[in-house]
Amino acid sequence: MICLQFSKRREADLFYNSVVKEQELWLLKDELEHYEVTLENENKSQSTYREIVQACLQVIRAGKWLGWMEGVLRHTYYYEDRREIERILEIGREFEGEPPSGLAMPPVYRNIQSFLENYVTLHSVINFDDMCVDCLKDSHRLIVEYTGFIIDEYKQEEAYQLLLDSWRYRVQNRDTGVSLLHLYQNNGLTYFHDEGNPISESETLLYMKQYPDESIKDLPLHWCITPALVHAPDQLVIYTNKPDDPHLELIRNIFEEKATWKAQSEFPFKMS
């Protein structure tokens, strides 16, 4: 017999619903002080152990993991602000689905799974809460490292938001004397004066020097958003059939009501 004891009905149900798909001999019992999920089968195969481990891992990730991360945030990294903690945990949930490509995250889930495999093999009666305490101790160093990666992502996000705010402030408040620009999207983004002549990189560089700003001083001239930020027109008319383009989404976020959207066919000038 294999028996797992849970203090919370929700966790017992989650475990039971996971393993019962594979083994119909599992039973869920409501005892006086806990909930028991038992397998009345003397033949404990390797597949049975794998199913138990996967079910335990599922319960941990659903009910324990974010709590472990929050504990690390509060007691190792000394975060106190609820808004910051919630955003970092939200990023953690996003990373669970698909971490950014090229980022080598600490193998915390593999470590937890390895711990569970050893633990389940050695015990026929398992108190789930006690097992989780031991698992947390065993994986704590990796959880700290993993949470550090999430914090780095959060800090980058915060820095980007500050930069975005500074760009928005420039566009909304800096008077460069440019009242209207036209932005045509075809294979790329091309900016035009209201008279119909395209803006050159030399013009953008001149405006960058004439209207200096910390938020734009290091922008590459070839970046397709740079002319919009440097010239900071009072009104930007955008001609596109793909308004969901990521660059145009960024411009929409910065210019807000100063941006007007039209179809490509409404572009008033001839393309050379």
Side-chain angles (χ1 to χ4, degrees), residues 158-174:
E158 289 287 285
Y160 176 73
Q161 187 59 51
L162 289 173
L163 183 60
L164 198 63
D165 289 343
S166 66
W167 287 342
R168 189 179 293 116
Y169 182 85
R170 174 183 173 84
V171 164
Q172 299 297 331
N173 296 281
R174 189 67 180 237

Side-chain angles (χ1 to χ4, degrees), residues 46-238:
Q46 286 299 114
S47 63
T48 299
Y49 284 118
R50 284 196 298 269
E51 290 153 10
I52 295 171
V53 168
Q54 290 304 313
C56 287
L57 188 60
Q58 182 179 349
V59 178
I60 287 174
R61 294 183 70 163
K64 304 289 186 185
W65 174 244
L66 291 182
W68 291 354
M69 277 188 60
E70 181 172 346
V72 167
L73 286 171
R74 291 184 181 276
H75 303 299
T76 301
Y77 292 103
Y78 305 109
Y79 277 84
E80 296 180 355
D81 185 87
R82 187 68 227 171
R83 183 194 66 83
E84 286 189 306
I85 291 173
E86 287 179 354
R87 179 54 193 150
I88 293 170
L89 294 179
E90 185 177 341
I91 295 173
R93 285 192 290 269
E94 294 169 1
F95 272 41
E96 279 194 70
E98 185 176 354
S101 60
L103 185 61
M105 301 291 287
V108 62
Y109 296 130
R110 191 160 65 246
N111 188 85
I112 291 173
Q113 180 169 333
S114 178
F115 172 87
L116 294 175
E117 288 171 350
N118 292 331
Y119 197 98
V120 168
T121 302
L122 294 173
H123 297 78
S124 58
V125 178
I126 298 172
N127 182 292
F128 185 76
D129 289 343
D130 291 345
M131 181 180 68
C132 286
V133 170
D134 291 341
C135 183
L136 175 57
K137 291 178 181 177
D138 183 79
S139 305
H140 186 262
R141 180 185 61 82
L142 280 175
I143 296 173
V144 170
E145 290 182 19
Y146 185 94
T147 305
F149 274 77
I150 306 298
I151 291 172
D152 287 344
E153 183 72 13
Y154 169 72
K155 288 180 178 178
Q156 290 181 29
E157 182 182 272
E158 289 287 285
Y160 176 73
Q161 187 59 51
L162 289 173
L163 183 60
L164 198 63
D165 289 343
S166 66
W167 287 342
R168 189 179 293 116
Y169 182 85
R170 174 183 173 84
V171 164
Q172 299 297 331
N173 296 281
R174 189 67 180 237
D175 184 7
T176 61
V178 179
S179 59
L180 175 63
L181 288 182
H182 300 266
L183 173 56
Y184 183 79
Q185 183 199 36
N186 192 1
N187 295 324
L189 300 180
T190 308
Y191 294 83
F192 293 83
H193 292 290
D194 197 26
E195 297 79 19
N197 51 314
I199 293 175
S200 65
E201 285 191 358
S202 59
E203 286 181 275
T204 300
L205 181 60
L206 178 63
Y207 268 80
M208 189 179 285
K209 293 177 178 178
Q210 287 182 333
Y211 304 94
D213 193 317
E214 283 294 314
S215 70
I216 66 165
K217 69 174 186 176
D218 296 322
L219 293 180
L221 289 174
H222 62 269
W223 187 39
C224 61
I225 308 296
T226 297
L229 299 175
V230 172
H231 292 269
D234 296 330
Q235 194 69 30
L236 181 65
V237 183
I238 303 168

